[in-house]
Each structure stands twice: as structure tokens, then as C-alpha cells.
DNA sequence: TTCTTTCAGTGACAATGTCACGTATGGTAT
DNA sequence: ATACCATACGTGACATTGTCACTGAAAGAA
């Protein structure tokens, strides 16, 4: 039962017996279908979420429906946004949705808060997670400000390929566009170019990576 | 002497007598001219910096010299980047420069680390500061991804006006461009437009805001 | 099959970024 | 004052990216 807690929470072994039991007793586990919105800009956060299985996407969106993906949360990872937002009720203006059918454990807000206040290791963990994601977002901003679309697209293809551990990506231009915060047409145009350059091979809902060396080189300019 | 510590460090009154004394004893105070680079991407951080007087700009830059400002640190504010980077040696890829002649106090790295480990309030403060700046950066990213230049420029003019508490900004198009992460020509073009719309009045190195209501409305779209 | 939905392709145009200049302004040296 | 110089600004041409309004193509449902 608590194997995944050990795997997800580096501070697990530093908790007292009581703290561990408290966690186990209050932990809620939910299943969500792919595409469920776990958290939407401005709503209350229920607690700290741990992805037992599946995957989630953290993103920001504008009123007119544009989006950009900040980062993803994979199995056994903790959603620190929920951790952070409860600390000082800072509203980050972000949203989170599942990208696959997912099983998610929730540590209730007040429980995590208690652990965070009592236990140094928990607080350390919280800080490190926030700092790490902060670092991720700054990297993203860098990409956005300093790189051209070709670089960003090749980078996206590589990381999508790593995500699904395959050179064949079952993904639409639309999804890529949302990840990158651009328009589908732009993605289509560039992918077309990539295809004539023999970097990828395209078909409906599918992109096959032919030359990942070249893409990698490109993405790092 | 330690008045500014009280003002800058919310946890000051929660420190023990010994801790306070330790801080005072090890505190280093330096003066820097306007334009000094306090921290550059990848260098070691000396410690936690507190701006006693003056102002600093936190930014990221690319190899080919493009920049974008993340946020500013004003008098009596603490540079939490240095705080964060020492926690886990996360490299944020940022740089910091003074924007005015500044007096800066530095809490040595190991001292802050010690306080942070020992004292719950210090750790809380660190976390809150990181979360707050994180929130700022996400806001910036939102602006960058979802807003057009007109909106971002009007927003910049408003915030510059608030910074110097005047409707007359002594600032060049170049500086504004660097803040916004765009090119000077783009700023020049738009300012020209703003001028013909009677929003601002331009002269060399100076921008006078004529209609801040309109600018404000614009910046919030 | 036919219908329908989703995905992709395309041309025209707008906004922004880049480049290569030219021009204006204010300070400094003589 | 005059000439000179550095810095700031203006501008046109063009490249890249974003937006819009479509059309066409593929895959699943009726």
C-alpha cells in the first residue's frame, strides 16, 4: 500500500511512526479519466497530489483559450503546486489536467500543512520541489524568448519521444501547438519543412522521427 | 545598524539572541555602482543578498546578448534567488545587476544555511519568497505568451512610472526593449504609435505619460 | 456506403523580429 | 562658438511567426 509513498516522498523514512500512520489514514485515492481537469486557475487546492499512475500536465491558459504547457507530472511524482499554494495561498494562475487515465493520491491540505510545520524534512522537500519547478519554468521562458520555432519544435519532438519511449509519436499538431503555446498552422508548416528535410515522416495523428540526431542538434542549437 | 534587518527579514524577531548576533557579526556590507553585475549565470552565490539601498534587476540572457527582465529587487528586499540556489545548488540560469548605485548586505552562505536548517521561521520565509517570485515569473510568462506588444509596452510604461513615481520617465527605448525581451525598433515603432494616439510624448531619453488611464486600460486589456 | 468528426494543408494577411542603414541630440574638447 | 563624437532614435525592407478563413483527407459511426 505505502510503497508508492516511499517512492514519491523522499522524507517518508524521516517521518515518525505516528506521522506515517496519519498520512496513510487520511490519504484519499481517486481515479480520473484522461483529460480531467484536476485544478483550475483560482480554485481551492484540496491538498497535495501524488500521481500513483498516469500523467498530468501543468499549464497556464488565457481567457481566449490559448494555452502553454509548463511541465508534466509523471507517475510517482508529487504536484508541488498544490503543496506551494497551500503554504501561503499564493495563486499561480495555473491549471492541471490528466493526460492519461490516472490514479491520484491526495494528502489533505491540513495534514500536509501539519507535517510541513512539524517536520523539517517535509519543509525541505517542499522548498526543493518548488525551487526545481521554478527552475523548469525559467528554462521554458528562456526557450520562449530566445529560441525560434524550429528549435522549440525539435525540442518538443525529442521530449515527446522520450515521454512515450518511441520514435513514433501518436500526437496531433494541435497538441504540440498547445504545448508550445503557438498555433496549429505554425506547427503544420514547420513539420512540413522537417519532412522535406527528411527529419520526420508524417501521417494523420502520427509523427515518426527519422533523424533524431539532427533534431537533437537543432534543439540545442 | 540592524534596523534594516528588521525591515527586510520578517523572521528577525523570531531569531534567538545568539542567532541575531551571529547575523550581525557575519554580515558583509558592500557598495556597488549602478550597472554592476552581482551574479552571473553559473557563478557561485556568495550568500543571501539584501538591498539596503538602490535597486537590482533580475534577468535571463542568451548567448547572443538578448535579455528579458524577470523582476526587480527594491530597497529592503531580499534576493531569494541566492537563498534558493544555496539550498540545493539549483542553477536558475539567471543574472542580477544593480540598476542604481546600491548598498548591499550579504549574509554569508553557510550562515544562512545554518539559520535555515535550525530555524523554522527562516525556512518558512525562504519558501514563501521562492513561491512569490515563482508566481511573478509565471505572470511574466503569461504576459509574454498571451499578450501583444501594445499591451506589454503599456504595462511596462505604467510600472516604470510607478517605479520612479513620476509621469516623466528617463529611460531609453533600448532599456524598455531589454525589459520586455524584444528589439528596440519594435519599441520605437509602438511608442511612435502611442504618441500619435496622444498617450505619450517623446523626446530623447525621455517619455512623458500623457494618458495613464488609457495605458492602464490597455495593459489589462 | 454515407455521414460526421477530427485532423491537416493552404493562401492571404497582420504582427513582430531582424538588419542595415540614416538622422537627430546632447555632451565634450578645442 | 565650432567641430566632433557617442548615444539615442527613425525608417524601410525583409524574415519569421501568428491569425483567419477556408478546403481537403482520413477514420470512425450510422
Amino acid at each position: 500500500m505505502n510503497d508508492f509513498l516511499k517512492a514519491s516522498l523522499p522524507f517518508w523514512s524521516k517521518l515518525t511512526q505516528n506521522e506515517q500512520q496519519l498520512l496513510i489514514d487520511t490519504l484519499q485515492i481517486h481515479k480520473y479519466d484522461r483529460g480531467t481537469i484536476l485544478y483550475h486557475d483560482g480554485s481551492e487546492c484540496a491538498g497535495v497530489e501524488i500521481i500513483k499512475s498516469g500523467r498530468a500536465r501543468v499549464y497556464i491558459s488565457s481567457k481566449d483559450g490559448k494555452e502553454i504547457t509548463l511541465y508534466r507530472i509523471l507517475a510517482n511524482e508529487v504536484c508541488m503546486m498544490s503543496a506551494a499554494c497551500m503554504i501561503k495561498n499564493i495563486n499561480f494562475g495555473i491549471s492541471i489536467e490528466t493526460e492519461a487515465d490516472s490514479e491520484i493520491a491526495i494528502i489533505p491540505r491540513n495534514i500536509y500543512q501539519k507535517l510541513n510545520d512539524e517536520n523539517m524534512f517535509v519543509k525541505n522537500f517542499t522548498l526543493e520541489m518548488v525551487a526545481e519547478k521554478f527552475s523548469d519554468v525559467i528554462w521554458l521562458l528562456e526557450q520562449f524568448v530566445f529560441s525560434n520555432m524550429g528549435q522549440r519544435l525539435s525540442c518538443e519532438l525529442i521530449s515527446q519521444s522520450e515521454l512515450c519511449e518511441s520514435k513514433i509519436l501518436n500526437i496531433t499538431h494541435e497538441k504540440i501547438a498547445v504545448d508550445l503555446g503557438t498555433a496549429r498552422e505554425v506547427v503544420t508548416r514547420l513539420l512540413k519543412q522537417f519532412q522535406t528535410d527528411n527529419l520526420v515522416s508524417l501521417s494523420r495523428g502520427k509523427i515518426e522521427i527519422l533523424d533524431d540526431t539532427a533534431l537533437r542538434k537543432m534543439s540545442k542549437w
Side-chain angles (χ1 to χ4, degrees), chain A:
Chain A
M1 151 61 189
N2 56 28
D3 277 358
F4 84 98
L5 287 177
K6 246 180 259 182
S8 310
L9 306 175
F11 56 75
W12 178 256
S13 63
K14 309 284 189 175
L15 295 177
T16 65
Q17 199 68 36
N18 280 344
E19 287 170 335
Q20 290 190 359
Q21 198 55 50
L22 178 66
L23 253 183
I24 291 172
D25 290 344
T26 58
L27 202 66
Q28 300 162 21
I29 300 199
H30 297 285
K31 295 192 182 205
Y32 297 102
D33 289 340
R34 173 193 174 117
T36 307
I37 302 214
L38 296 179
Y39 176 85
H40 190 65
D41 185 7
S43 60
E44 277 289 299
C45 57
V48 173
E49 288 151 351
I50 307 172
I51 314 275
K52 274 191 72 173
S53 68
R55 195 171 86 190
R57 183 175 76 95
V58 178
Y59 62 99
I60 52 179
S61 58
S62 69
K63 293 133 223 161
D64 56 353
K66 271 192 77 171
E67 296 183 6
I68 183 170
T69 299
L70 297 183
Y71 54 84
R72 293 187 156 74
I73 314 174
L74 308 180
N76 287 321
E77 289 185 354
V78 176
C79 174
M80 54 57 54
M81 279 304 181
S82 37
C85 89
M86 78 178 41
I87 300 307
K88 217 199 167 173
N89 251 341
I90 286 177
N91 193 329
F92 288 92
I94 60 151
S95 303
I96 307 177
E97 67 164 13
T98 54
E99 276 195 318
D101 294 349
S102 302
E103 214 177 349
I104 294 180
I106 300 183
I107 305 171
R109 188 187 164 109
N110 57 331
I111 302 294
Y112 191 84
Q113 223 151 19
K114 182 174 148 72
L115 291 181
N116 190 70
D117 284 344
E118 281 176 359
N119 192 304
M120 217 51 159
F121 296 99
V122 177
K123 211 183 271 291
N124 262 332
F125 173 74
T126 310
L127 178 56
E128 281 179 16
M129 290 298 287
V130 177
E132 190 184 311
K133 293 309 170 190
F134 193 175
S135 175
D136 288 352
V137 170
I138 287 184
W139 180 87
L140 179 69
L141 183 63
E142 259 177 34
Q143 296 291 307
F144 208 91
V145 178
F146 302 137
S147 297
N148 65 32
M149 264 300 157
Q151 291 162 347
R152 290 175 54 214
L153 178 57
S154 54
C155 191
E156 167 79 6
L157 294 177
I158 295 296
S159 67
Q160 284 289 345
S161 167
E162 284 170 356
L163 252 187
C164 69
E165 295 174 342
S166 159
K167 297 211 171 188
I168 297 175
L169 316 177
N170 291 298
I171 193 172
T172 65
H173 300 185
E174 176 69 32
K175 293 229 180 224
I176 293 177
V178 166
D179 257 18
L180 296 178
T182 182
R184 180 193 54 79
E185 298 91 317
V186 176
V187 173
T188 298
R189 268 202 300 248
L190 274 168
L191 279 175
K192 212 85 214 301
Q193 188 58 46
F194 281 14
Q195 189 173 38
T196 63
D197 295 347
N198 283 313
L199 300 175
V200 299
S201 159
L202 305 174
S203 47
R204 184 189 171 90
K206 197 176 86 177
I207 300 170
E208 184 176 1
I209 294 182
L210 299 178
D211 187 346
D212 72 328
T213 314
L215 285 177
R216 258 173 230 280
K217 199 188 283 180
M218 210 174 157
S219 70
K220 290 184 186 142
W221 74 328

